[in-house]
Amino acid sequence: MDRRVLFATLILLAGGATGVGVALFAFVGVDDATTEATVVWESEPAAGDDGSGAVVATVDGDPLLLRPAVENGSRVVTATVAGTDETPWTAPVSGPDAERGGGDGTGGDDGDAGGNDTDGAGGDPLAVSGLTAGTLGGDPVVALTTAAGELVVLDAVDGTERFAVDLGGPAGLRPAIGDLTGDGSREVAAVTTDGGVHVLDGEGDPVAEASLSGEISRRPLIVEPDAEAGERGGLAVLTTAGDPATVHMLDASGGTRWTTEPSVNPLSWNAADSRDGPVLALGGASGTIETVEASDGSDRYEVKLQDRPIAVGDADPGRVYVGGSGSVWAVDLLDGEVVWKQQYGASTRVNEPRMADVDGNGERAPVVLNRAGGVLAMTQSGEVIARGDAGDVVAYGGPLFADVTGDGGDEVIVVADDGTAIAVDT
């Protein structure tokens, strides 16, 4: 199809020692020949979350949509086979007062904590984080933390509780799953909002603990080690200590390898691999992206993309994809060059971009979803494959993916603020 490609210059105003940089980037326009995406499936609503807490897990070859929900006044996790009405299991979430529906409330923030409809008053459902899907001991699992301070890990096959651990402090932030030690076995890491850090193995036994100064309001990140490249892994934790924050990189035993104070006030962050080693990418409230070396905490670069908050999303080994108000960028992880910029949806906020193979050609590429339910699927060079929307919805989370049509490509799953899931075929 024909695509318009316009070239423009962008003055990149970077803070600190980076000075002022100028970069030439491709502005990729959405043309009239772009394929229009269509809705191919819609689920029933799942009350109790604003939609940002859902994940997709693959179980026995089937994509399961897992959502935190409330049923009969109690907190549950519900599993639905994507593209069908089949609900293989619904699991109650254990925790203080779970049986009667009590618990402490927590709000959502950029996908870290689920936006649950609860204020912590007596009789309200137990408030929980967003979900994390992964594997432990080779088994598919889903993990969450409760605001009351418990880490809960469920078997994704049937919803049975694998283990539940008291974290010793208030939680409600999304946990992380990954191979922290580099021994081939994955661990789960969870934090409490008062600075507690806990790492557990696949059976729920403690691997490491730490207590950090300041509060924690963002999910932890596991940076997996690469022995062949001589790179150590670690657990990255962001606290409010420092001005405006402090990044702590912990080792596999919970000891601190390094700390640094970023220049940006981070609203979102992610770990990414680059051609020169892994980095932490932080998205600032003022529209600046900053990258920090995972090896020693030194600052690689910071680049101002716009004057409004940005959301750091997925990355491939060369670049990270960032959403902002009406725009999405591909930023080179090595030097901060803006490889391309795509504008979409006027000034509507774009949620964190994610990567998927939507056309079945074996290449993962960025897909974005904005707050108004608008979907845009692109190639790695920023050219648009398809655009469309999920209808009259509000979407707070990034896109999810599952092949619900059986055509070999992923459909985009939009989860609205009432928990309704809509599959959009691109």
Side-chain angles (χ1 to χ4, degrees):
M1 67 179 69
D2 292 330
R3 298 180 175 91
R4 299 170 297 168
V5 181
L6 306 176
F7 290 91
T9 57
L10 173 67
I11 297 177
L12 302 178
L13 301 176
T18 56
V20 178
V22 178
L24 185 69
F25 68 91
F27 176 86
V28 187
V30 181
D31 64 39
D32 294 334
T34 299
T35 302
E36 289 293 329
T38 57
V39 173
V40 294
W41 171 69
E42 183 172 327
S43 76
E44 293 295 322
D49 182 75
D50 67 3
S52 64
V55 294
V56 170
T58 300
V59 175
D60 295 331
D62 291 326
L64 286 188
L65 174 68
L66 306 174
R67 290 171 288 178
V70 172
E71 291 188 0
N72 300 319
S74 295
R75 177 63 59 186
V76 298
V77 174
T78 182
T80 302
V81 179
T84 75
D85 294 329
E86 181 183 351
T87 301
W89 56 264
T90 297
V93 177
S94 65
D97 298 328
E99 292 185 358
R100 70 175 182 85
D104 297 326
T106 187
D109 56 355
D110 292 331
D112 292 340
N116 305 298
D117 297 327
T118 176
D119 59 8
D124 286 338
L126 186 74
V128 299
S129 71
L131 306 180
T132 298
T135 59
L136 291 175
D139 302 321
V141 299
V142 60
L144 59 89
T145 70
T146 71
E150 191 170 41
L151 168 66
V152 179
V153 177
L154 305 175
D155 189 324
V157 174
D158 57 12
T160 57
E161 186 178 279
R162 187 181 181 101
F163 61 81
V165 176
D166 184 0
L167 299 175
L173 296 173
R174 195 187 299 261
I177 297 176
D179 183 3
L180 177 62
T181 61
D183 63 356
S185 298
R186 293 189 163 202
E187 292 82 31
V188 56
V191 296
T192 61
T193 58
D194 60 2
V197 180
H198 301 263
V199 180
L200 303 104
D201 65 16
E203 302 302 320
D205 295 324
V207 173
E209 293 185 1
S211 180
L212 305 177
S213 60
E215 298 179 352
I216 301 175
S217 60
R218 298 285 176 262
R219 63 191 172 104
L221 302 175
I222 291 179
V223 180
E224 296 191 347
D226 186 343
E228 292 184 0
E231 297 167 355
R232 293 188 295 171
L235 178 65
V237 181
L238 190 65
T239 72
T240 59
D243 185 16
T246 297
V247 178
H248 307 254
M249 181 63 76
L250 309 180
D251 61 24
S253 64
T256 299
R257 281 177 42 200
W258 54 259
T259 63
T260 188
E261 294 185 17
S263 298
V264 303
N265 179 16
L267 296 182
S268 64
W269 71 333
N270 208 351
D273 290 325
S274 76
R275 300 184 301 275
D276 196 24
V279 297
L280 304 176
L282 292 80
S286 61
T288 297
I289 180 173
E290 180 176 359
T291 58
V292 175
E293 301 282 357
S295 59
D296 59 10
S298 60
D299 197 65
R300 181 175 289 188
Y301 63 76
E302 53 185 285
V303 174
K304 192 171 184 64
L305 300 176
Q306 62 178 201
D307 293 325
R308 297 181 180 181
I310 55 175
V312 173
D314 283 350
D316 58 35
R319 60 191 64 167
V320 62
Y321 301 99
V322 183
S325 295
S327 297
V328 57
W329 298 264
V331 181
D332 192 290
L333 283 167
L334 190 62
D335 56 15
E337 177 186 358
V338 177
V339 182
W340 51 258
K341 175 185 178 182
Q342 176 67 259
Q343 290 184 322
Y344 181 63
S347 61
T348 304
R349 183 171 176 179
V350 176
N351 301 330
E352 66 274 18
R354 292 176 179 160
M355 299 184 70
D357 178 13
V358 297
D359 54 9
N361 67 355
E363 179 181 279
R364 297 174 69 246
V367 179
V368 295
L369 168 66
N370 67 21
R371 292 290 172 93
V375 174
L376 195 69
M378 294 162 283
T379 66
Q380 289 187 0
S381 60
E383 297 179 348
V384 173
I385 298 172
R387 62 179 174 180
D389 65 71
D392 186 17
V393 302
V394 176
Y396 290 111
L400 303 176
F401 307 100
D403 182 6
V404 303
T405 62
D407 62 357
D410 290 325
E411 277 67 57
V412 181
I413 307 295
V414 178
V415 184
D417 62 347
D418 66 350
T420 300
I422 302 109
V424 179
D425 187 2
T426 57

